[in-house]
Amino acid sequence: MIRKIIEINEEKCNGCGLCASACHEGAIGMVNGKAKLLRDDYCDGLGNCLPVCPTGAITFVEREAAAYDEAAVQANTRAREQAAQQPQSACGCPGSQAKTLRSAPSVQPVTAAPAVSQLRQWPVQIKLVPVNAPYFDGAHLLVAADCTAYAYAGFHEDFIRNKITLIGCPKLDEGDYSEKLTEIIRQNNIKSVTVVRMEVPCCGGIEHAVRTALQNSGKFLPWQVVVISTSGERLPG
């Protein structure tokens, strides 16, 4: 039958997983870091996924598609609820899958000097930081996913030192950071930008926001992306 159904542009998808979480029917899943419409008969055509997509990758089309199967959706929902109760179950976003991390015990000499914070300004949340502030003048900007500071042991020394720090979580915060980051870069004398993100797909949102902000600002700045694994290692690349 010909009916209205969603279509996902893979090139625009940043892998944040928000659409998969918003799709209560389970029609959307994450495959190789990209959102995919897994089953036509699970898509009710109401588009709860559209408003949560930060990149506009989801649209409606009219095409030949299987009819919406409410009974199959309900059965799938029950199966997912049962799977969610299992300790090693997967969820819509692969970055949210539960796992236990093991590391060697830390043995610190009693004579070791206490760690010193390298943070140079407050606030640090992208949503809270002002667009114009004196500390942005000549700043080397660090834009980091907030989980990175917990995963990577040397975060202060390796990343925050001598930088102005902005943090956020594209999966939990509403809206897109790119507009505010654009104005911060455009209106201030920023020298460089470093993005630190986790390896999980949803962290692609913060990298995408910075990339968009750099393009929209009209400035050509040196920038780099550093990826941290969920086990706390700095990945090559």
Side-chain angles (χ1 to χ4, degrees), residues 28-98:
I28 301 175
M30 303 302 296
V31 179
N32 296 326
K34 296 286 186 176
K36 299 286 186 182
L37 177 59
L38 302 179
R39 290 185 54 160
D40 289 358
D41 58 339
Y42 282 9
C43 179
D44 59 9
L46 297 179
N48 290 336
C49 52
L50 267 71
V52 302
C53 179
T55 64
I58 304 175
T59 55
F60 274 126
V61 297
E62 287 193 2
R63 62 169 175 83
E64 182 72 30
Y68 174 62
D69 191 339
E70 184 175 0
V73 169
Q74 291 177 350
N76 180 56
T77 299
R78 289 192 295 270
R80 286 189 293 144
E81 289 174 349
Q82 292 174 358
Q85 298 175 5
Q86 302 300 316
Q88 296 184 346
S89 62
C91 63
C93 173
S96 302
Q97 184 173 356

Side-chain angles (χ1 to χ4, degrees), residues 152-160:
Y152 188 79
F155 193 82
H156 273 249
E157 287 295 324
D158 290 0
F159 298 119
I160 295 183

Side-chain angles (χ1 to χ4, degrees), residues 186-206:
R186 177 183 290 151
Q187 298 184 32
N188 297 280
N189 180 27
I190 304 298
K191 296 297 187 182
S192 68
V193 182
T194 299
V195 181
V196 183
R197 53 163 291 189
M198 298 298 296
E199 63 177 331
V200 298
C202 53
C203 252
I206 203 161

Side-chain angles (χ1 to χ4, degrees), residues 158-174:
D158 290 0
F159 298 119
I160 295 183
R161 177 188 284 273
N162 298 325
K163 293 184 179 66
I164 295 301
T165 303
L166 304 180
I167 67 169
C169 177
K171 188 173 179 64
L172 299 181
D173 286 344
E174 294 184 2

